[in-house]
């Protein structure tokens, strides 16, 4: 059945993976694209990166950060999502580059998975830095190993891999290895620092932006970002952009726009459904 | 007993102002049967029917009004539906004063107002919804398929007419609700969404299939559409918001009218947190623009609880394109207007929140290409208005979302689709287009008129009686 959750699993505390039946989107999805998911009838339109697509299903990874994502995380296998639209946004530019470095942080690791797969298939040598707060937040490492030649892991607390942040991992690779292009996908603040790091090395870096969106089809302009001094809509002009051209501080501020309302909605939701710290 | 008809339109009851500004309930309440009868009596039934010429879909206006006079409301409804698939919508949002009513003979009599055709149309459509189920007879199945891209007024009209002619019609809609601008753009207080749902249901009752969440060019490719369908109608609307592009455009609190209204209308942000989508509730709100969208945004902001809502417009009251009726509503509700005012930059605080708008005063110079006097900035007239929210309602431009996937489709210099004005045929074989994606932002009824013409000529094309390619 269309938009039915056929498989759901917990990847880490607060991080869930979904396989949703949608043969139409699955047939068209390309690396770098996203879907807009409307969990329930009164729900928001939530943009989520397509982590994989095969056999008529699309795969998405969700981190619980507020009401809408908690609502999603609480859905069970067999339940149906109210709406899924996509595939939206421009696909990643996949071609033979030579040596490619992929940096993924938190759930951003799920977003680099399809890119790694496609780049590897074209004969690129793929390096990856995966980062998380602690060991259990470094998701999908085993799966990525199939497509990545060399993986470095960094954790804030040192519980896995190198103690540090992803830019420390970038340093380790960039000092010894010529890299032709990099992707960095993860929290906005991480992508900002990855872009600064790439600039230090004169390296081209692609980032996948996640501003607040509504329709996801270029109709409202909520997701506007400043790229090289120009206003762009992340939903149709992106979501991928040259990381060195992004006005990061503006984006970080824009992400705070509904902080109070988001908090209120989440609190009200928790009053209704009970404690969610187990998610 | 003959009563001399009044020179004025029969007034329509409205919600009390105090109630209006606290809710999103519909403002205009419609005619009762008696009021409709009184108003219908004002129609002279003149044989030249000038009013019909003013209607983009050519409704037999004297015809349906004469049935009201006879109290045969069901027959009046049948006449309306023959020409107009969405009369309850048109009766509410058409600018009748510039269309049918502008040509009304009664309106030409000194001291007299035209017949309130729009209000009568609304009365009949609402009466029909409450009192009968109109079964529409479709012609014999023609065994041919037509794709309609976009479920706004143009698309719904084309789809309904084509279905009546016996075609298999599939409508592709990107959003999760059908109706286009009728659901995301026009607020509940002007056009209740139950009315739109009702009209959409009618279109579906003609066996039109509407596929929601289906962006053409993305989940269904243009090649697939062209291969699978015998003809295509594009009615995707104008789409992308324009911005003034002044300093501070990306500050928190600066909205496009499209975003603000989509959050409120489509996503029901005015019911947050019952609905999950939030919207900012500004205290001092500035709306930039002078059209219907600007007024919709201003009145919505007021209903969300703003202390003060000010519309700034670079020309004057005389040039503003908004409907007079809605302007009067806005003034009644307490919206302030600052004419001859243009924003220069938005001022933000260190957190990126809007705190003020620097404006400049304008004066009117010589007429420009639109025939209206061109606004010119007055030197040294800068001033700052305190504001925590700005909504820019300065128009839209062609959304490239679909068009960039439609290779070889001829566009004009503004990015809109080039068509044959009469038939709506585009440069691409078997592809027709109409509505705002052809004309740029216009009215619901003009989009419906285009949908109607396109359906007529698509039929001719599929009957092999018309082929411009």
């Amino acid at each position: 059945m269309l938009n039915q959750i056929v498989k759901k699993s917990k990847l880490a505390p607060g991080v869930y993976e979904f396989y949703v039946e949608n043969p139409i989107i699955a047939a068209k999805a390309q690396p770098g694209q996203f879907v807009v998911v409307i969990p329930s009838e009164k729900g928001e339109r939530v943009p989520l990166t397509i982590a994989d697509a095969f056999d008529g299903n699309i795969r998405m990874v969700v981190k619980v950060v507020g009401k809408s994502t908690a609502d999603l995380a609480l859905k069970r296998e067999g339940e149906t999502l109210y709406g899924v639209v996509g595939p939206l946004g421009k696909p990643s530019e996949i071609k033979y580059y030579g040596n490619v470095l992929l940096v993924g942080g938190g759930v951003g690791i799920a977003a680099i998975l399809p890119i790694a797969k496609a780049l590897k298939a074209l004969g690129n040598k793929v390096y990856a830095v995966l980062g998380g707060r602690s060991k259990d937040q470094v998701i999908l490492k085993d799966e990525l190993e199939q497509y990545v030649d060399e993986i470095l892991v960094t954790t804030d607390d040192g519980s896995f891999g190198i103690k540090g942040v992803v830019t420390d991992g970038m340093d380790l690779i960039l000092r010894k290895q010529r890299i032709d292009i990099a992707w960095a996908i993860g929290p906005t603040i991480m992508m900002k620092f990855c872009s600064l790091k790439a600039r230090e090395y004169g390296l081209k870096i692609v980032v996948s932006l996640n501003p607040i969106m509504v329709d996801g089809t270029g109709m409202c302009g909520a997701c506007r970002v400043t790229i090289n001094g120009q206003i762009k809509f992340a939903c149709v002009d992106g979501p991928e952009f040259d990381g060195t051209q992004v006005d990061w501080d503006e984006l970080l501020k824009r992400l705070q726009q509904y902080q109070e309302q988001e908090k209120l909605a989440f609190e009200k939701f928790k009053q209704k459904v009970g404690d969610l710290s187990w998610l | 007993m003959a009563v001399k008809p009044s020179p004025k339109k029969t007034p329509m009851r409205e919600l009390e102002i105090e109630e209006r500004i606290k809710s999103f309930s519909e403002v205009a309440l419609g005619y009762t049967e008696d009021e409709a009868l009184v108003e219908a009596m004002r129609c002279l039934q003149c044989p030249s029917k000038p009013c019909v010429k003013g209607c983009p879909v050519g409704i037999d206006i004297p015809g349906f009004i004469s049935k009201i006079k006879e109290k045969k409301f069901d027959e009046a409804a049948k006449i309306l539906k023959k020409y107009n698939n969405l009369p309850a919508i048109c009766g509410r949002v058409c600018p009748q004063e510039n269309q049918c009513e502008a040509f009304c003979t009664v309106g030409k009599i000194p001291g007299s107002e035209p017949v309130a055709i729009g209000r009568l149309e609304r009365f009949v459509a609402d009466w029909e919804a409450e009192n009968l189920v109109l079964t529409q007879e479709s012609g014999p199945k023609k065994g041919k398929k037509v794709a309609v891209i976009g479920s706004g007024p143009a698309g719904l009209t084309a789809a309904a007419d084509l279905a009546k002619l016996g075609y298999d019609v599939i409508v592709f809609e990107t959003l999760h609700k059908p109706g286009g601008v009728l659901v995301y753009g026009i607020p509940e207080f002007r056009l209740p969404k139950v009315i739109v749902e009702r009209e959409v249901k009618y279109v579906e009752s003609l066996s039109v299939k509407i596929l929601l969440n289906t962006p053409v060019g993305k989940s269904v490719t243009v090649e697939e559409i062209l291969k699978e369908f015998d003809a295509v109608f594009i009615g995707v609307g104008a789409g992308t918001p324009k911005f003034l592009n002044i300093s501070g455009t990306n500050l928190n609190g600066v909205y496009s009218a499209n975003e603000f209204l989509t959050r409120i209308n489509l996503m029901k942000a005015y019911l947050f947190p019952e609905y999950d989508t939030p919207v900012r509730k500004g205290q001092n709100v500035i709306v930039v623009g002078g059209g219907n969208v600007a007024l919709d945004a201003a009145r919505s902001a007021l209903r969300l609880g703003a202390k003060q809502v000010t519309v700034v417009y670079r020309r004057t009251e005389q040039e503003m394109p908004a409907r007079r009726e809605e302007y009067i509503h806005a003034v009644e509700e307490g919206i302030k207007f600052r004419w001859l005012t243009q924003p220069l930059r938005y001022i933000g605080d260190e957190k990126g929140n809007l705190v003020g708008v620097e404006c400049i005063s304008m004066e009117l110079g010589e007429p420009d290409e639109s025939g209206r006097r061109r606004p010119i900035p007055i030197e040294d007239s800068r001033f700052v208005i305190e504001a925590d929210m700005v909504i820019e309602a300065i128009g839209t431009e062609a959304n490239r979302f679909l068009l960039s996937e439609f290779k070889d489709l001829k566009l004009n210099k503004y990015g809109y689709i080039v068509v044959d004005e009469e038939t709506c045929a585009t440069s691409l074989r078997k592809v027709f287009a109409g509505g705002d994606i052809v004309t740029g932002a216009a009215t619901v009824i003009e989009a419906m008129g285009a949908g109607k013409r396109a359906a007529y000529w698509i039929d001719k094309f599929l009957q092999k009686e018309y082929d411009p390619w």
Side-chain angles (χ1 to χ4, degrees):
Chain A
M1 199 169 54
L2 194 68
N3 297 334
Q4 189 175 40
I5 299 167
V6 291
K7 196 176 147 210
K8 173 195 168 190
S9 44
K10 186 171 182 170
L11 296 183
V15 179
Y16 290 82
E17 171 183 69
F18 290 88
Y19 288 85
V20 173
E21 187 175 332
N22 194 312
I24 307 157
I25 299 176
K28 303 283 160 57
Q30 293 177 65
Q33 291 188 300
F34 66 95
V35 286
V36 162
V37 171
I38 311 153
S40 322
E41 202 190 338
K42 295 179 179 179
E44 277 184 283
R45 295 172 65 95
V46 185
L48 293 170
T49 304
I50 303 168
D52 209 345
F54 58 90
D55 293 345
N57 297 325
I58 52 170
R59 179 189 188 187
M60 297 169 290
V61 175
V62 183
K63 184 186 167 82
V64 177
V65 292
K67 191 208 158 169
S68 295
T69 43
D71 194 15
L72 258 176
L74 289 171
K75 300 253 180 232
R76 298 194 185 98
E77 284 179 8
E79 282 190 78
T80 300
L81 301 175
Y82 179 73
V84 182
V85 196
L88 299 172
K90 289 185 178 158
S92 309
E93 205 180 324
I94 303 294
K95 60 179 187 186
Y96 178 76
Y97 293 97
N99 295 335
V100 185
L101 171 61
L102 304 179
V103 184
V107 282
I109 298 172
I112 65 166
L113 181 68
I115 299 171
K117 204 170 167 178
L119 286 170
K120 188 67 199 168
L122 290 184
N124 288 286
K125 185 153 192 204
V126 182
Y127 296 80
V129 177
L130 311 183
R133 278 199 314 275
S134 60
K135 186 177 179 182
D136 56 11
Q137 297 288 333
V138 182
I139 57 171
L140 304 172
K141 177 171 173 279
D142 295 348
E143 205 176 332
L144 265 163
E145 271 168 354
Q146 301 171 53
Y147 317 109
V148 177
D149 298 277
E150 196 180 323
I151 291 190
L152 262 182
V153 173
T154 66
T155 50
D156 296 2
D157 61 2
S159 57
F160 189 26
I162 303 154
K163 185 175 193 302
V165 290
V166 288
T167 43
D168 299 329
M170 284 175 77
D171 266 326
L172 285 175
I173 288 175
L174 291 168
R175 266 185 224 139
K176 60 164 190 163
Q177 186 60 55
R178 182 186 58 83
I179 295 289
D180 299 294
I181 187 170
W183 264 262
I185 308 179
T188 302
I189 191 75
M190 179 204 97
M191 293 192 284
K192 173 185 172 176
F193 283 101
C194 290
S195 299
L196 292 174
K197 183 59 73 184
R199 180 175 275 164
E200 272 177 40
Y201 288 89
L203 170 67
K204 185 173 163 68
I205 187 163
V206 179
V207 295
S208 179
L209 302 185
N210 55 348
I212 294 169
M213 281 187 191
V214 186
D215 64 289
T217 63
M219 207 190 78
C220 82
C223 67
R224 59 195 191 273
V225 287
T226 301
I227 308 294
N228 202 14
Q230 299 264 321
I231 292 182
K232 298 279 177 189
F233 292 0
C235 66
V236 288
D237 300 319
E240 292 190 352
F241 294 100
D242 177 340
T244 60
Q245 298 191 341
V246 176
D247 184 336
W248 291 104
D249 295 339
E250 178 188 275
L251 175 59
L252 285 161
K253 284 174 188 164
R254 285 184 67 77
L255 284 167
Q256 305 297 312
Q257 277 183 92
Y258 297 103
Q259 210 176 25
E260 275 169 45
Q261 285 105 315
E262 281 161 7
K263 221 174 121 191
L264 174 81
F266 200 20
E267 286 311 314
K268 269 199 108 122
F269 186 61
K270 282 191 274 197
Q271 277 169 24
K272 201 174 107 190
V273 298
D275 173 53
L276 288 175
S277 56
W278 56 273
L279 267 176
Chain B
M1 185 184 70
V3 181
K4 197 170 179 289
S6 157
K8 299 283 179 201
K9 284 181 182 179
T10 309
M12 183 151 59
R13 287 161 304 120
E14 292 177 345
L15 211 58
E16 295 291 332
I17 294 167
E18 299 76 46
E19 245 174 275
R20 260 149 67 174
I21 59 175
K22 280 186 287 189
S23 81
F24 278 76
S25 303
E26 190 173 19
V27 167
L29 299 175
Y31 279 161
T32 60
E33 267 188 40
D34 288 344
E35 287 164 344
L37 283 170
V38 169
E39 185 59 26
M41 290 303 171
R42 296 183 64 233
C43 173
L44 302 176
Q45 295 287 317
C46 38
S48 58
K49 304 180 182 182
C51 50
V52 180
K53 290 187 208 87
C55 175
V57 296
I59 293 176
D60 175 11
I61 293 165
F64 96 82
I65 293 182
S66 75
K67 294 297 172 192
I68 298 177
K69 289 186 186 183
E70 295 168 29
K71 287 197 183 182
K72 291 179 181 159
F73 303 133
D74 52 340
E75 287 180 31
K78 266 180 212 149
I79 293 174
L80 267 184
K81 273 273 162 76
K82 195 171 146 200
Y83 300 90
N84 184 339
N85 296 304
L86 317 166
I89 295 170
C90 286
R92 286 171 166 83
V93 302
C94 269
Q96 294 103 8
E97 62 279 16
N98 305 325
Q99 294 175 334
C100 51
E101 295 179 17
F103 295 88
C104 174
T105 309
V106 177
K108 307 277 184 241
I109 303 168
S112 213
E113 286 179 349
V115 176
I117 300 167
R119 294 174 183 179
L120 289 174
E121 178 183 29
R122 170 185 166 151
F123 165 76
V124 173
D126 287 355
W127 184 91
E128 179 214 319
E130 272 168 41
N131 294 283
L132 72 161
V133 183
L134 267 195
T135 45
Q136 193 73 42
E137 296 200 3
S138 293
K141 283 278 173 197
K142 294 217 168 81
K144 284 192 172 145
K145 291 168 74 178
V146 183
V148 171
I149 308 174
S151 71
L156 286 177
T157 302
D161 276 9
L162 287 162
K164 285 181 192 168
L165 289 165
Y167 294 100
D168 294 319
V169 184
I170 297 184
V171 179
F172 295 88
E173 170 55 51
T174 295
L175 293 174
H176 59 281
K177 283 190 181 147
V181 73
L182 307 170
V183 291
Y184 76 75
I186 304 176
E188 182 78 13
F189 55 81
R190 262 201 324 128
L191 179 62
K193 298 311 147 221
V194 292
I195 306 278
V196 181
E197 282 164 25
R198 197 167 84 194
E199 305 276 53
V200 168
K201 224 172 252 163
Y202 165 74
V203 175
E204 285 177 317
S205 77
L206 303 167
S207 305
V208 169
K209 198 171 164 199
I210 303 178
L211 292 179
L212 301 174
N213 297 323
T214 310
V216 173
K218 297 289 182 186
S219 70
V220 185
T221 63
V222 166
E223 292 69 37
E224 286 168 325
I225 295 269
L226 291 174
K227 209 177 129 203
E228 209 175 303
F229 291 87
D230 300 294
V232 178
F233 176 73
I234 306 174
V236 293
T240 296
K242 275 190 216 164
F243 287 95
L244 288 172
N245 258 317
I246 57 178
S247 156
T249 298
N250 286 0
L251 286 168
N252 293 339
V254 180
Y255 282 89
S256 73
N258 264 17
E259 180 191 351
F260 181 67
L261 292 172
T262 299
R263 283 179 181 274
I264 290 174
N265 301 323
L266 178 70
M267 306 309 294
K268 304 233 183 293
Y270 65 96
L271 298 174
F272 178 88
E274 184 198 338
Y275 281 76
D276 291 343
T277 304
V279 68
R280 198 183 187 93
K281 294 184 175 179
Q283 288 297 299
N284 289 300
V285 182
I286 304 283
V287 178
V288 187
N292 287 315
V293 176
L295 297 192
D296 284 346
R299 295 169 70 197
S300 296
L302 189 77
R303 283 158 171 77
L304 288 176
K307 231 168 43 201
Q308 172 130 309
V309 182
T310 309
V311 173
V312 302
Y313 181 50
R314 62 196 181 125
R315 303 179 201 251
T316 74
E317 190 181 336
Q318 278 72 52
E319 289 86 20
M320 82 182 296
R323 288 189 68 192
R324 190 80 199 157
E325 190 174 310
E326 301 306 340
Y327 170 60
I328 291 167
H329 282 148
V331 171
E332 283 172 357
E333 289 167 12
I335 308 282
K336 300 275 176 280
F337 288 82
R338 281 191 93 134
W339 311 113
L340 296 165
T341 302
Q342 175 81 351
L344 288 179
R345 72 183 175 103
Y346 300 126
I347 305 162
D349 65 12
E350 70 287 351
K351 286 184 177 158
N353 289 312
L354 179 83
V355 293
V357 182
E358 188 181 44
C359 298
I360 190 161
S361 297
M362 314 288 276
E363 60 188 349
L364 293 181
E366 294 300 308
D368 62 13
E369 64 276 9
S370 75
R372 299 176 298 179
R373 291 175 65 195
R374 185 192 300 277
I376 304 161
I378 302 172
E379 266 181 64
D380 299 325
S381 66
R382 295 177 178 217
F383 60 97
V384 172
I385 312 177
E386 197 189 313
D388 55 356
M389 188 161 154
V390 164
I391 305 160
E392 288 193 4
I394 57 163
T396 52
E397 54 195 18
N399 191 343
R400 300 181 321 272
F401 182 74
L402 169 77
L403 299 188
S404 61
E405 307 286 334
F406 249 107
K407 312 278 186 250
D408 312 324
L409 190 62
K410 203 172 154 201
L411 307 178
N412 68 17
K413 63 176 174 174
Y414 303 107
Y416 296 113
I417 302 173
V418 175
V419 298
D420 178 306
E421 249 180 67
E422 172 54 29
T423 67
C424 299
T426 70
S427 61
L428 267 189
R429 185 169 180 81
K430 75 181 182 183
V431 179
F432 296 74
D436 285 4
I437 195 57
V438 169
T439 57
T443 61
V444 168
I445 188 73
E446 281 169 291
M448 288 175 49
K452 213 165 182 65
R453 281 202 312 282
Y456 177 85
W457 288 102
I458 287 171
D459 178 47
K460 293 282 172 232
F461 167 67
L462 294 175
Q463 300 290 324
K464 302 199 182 334
E465 291 166 20
Y466 168 69
D467 190 343
W469 300 286

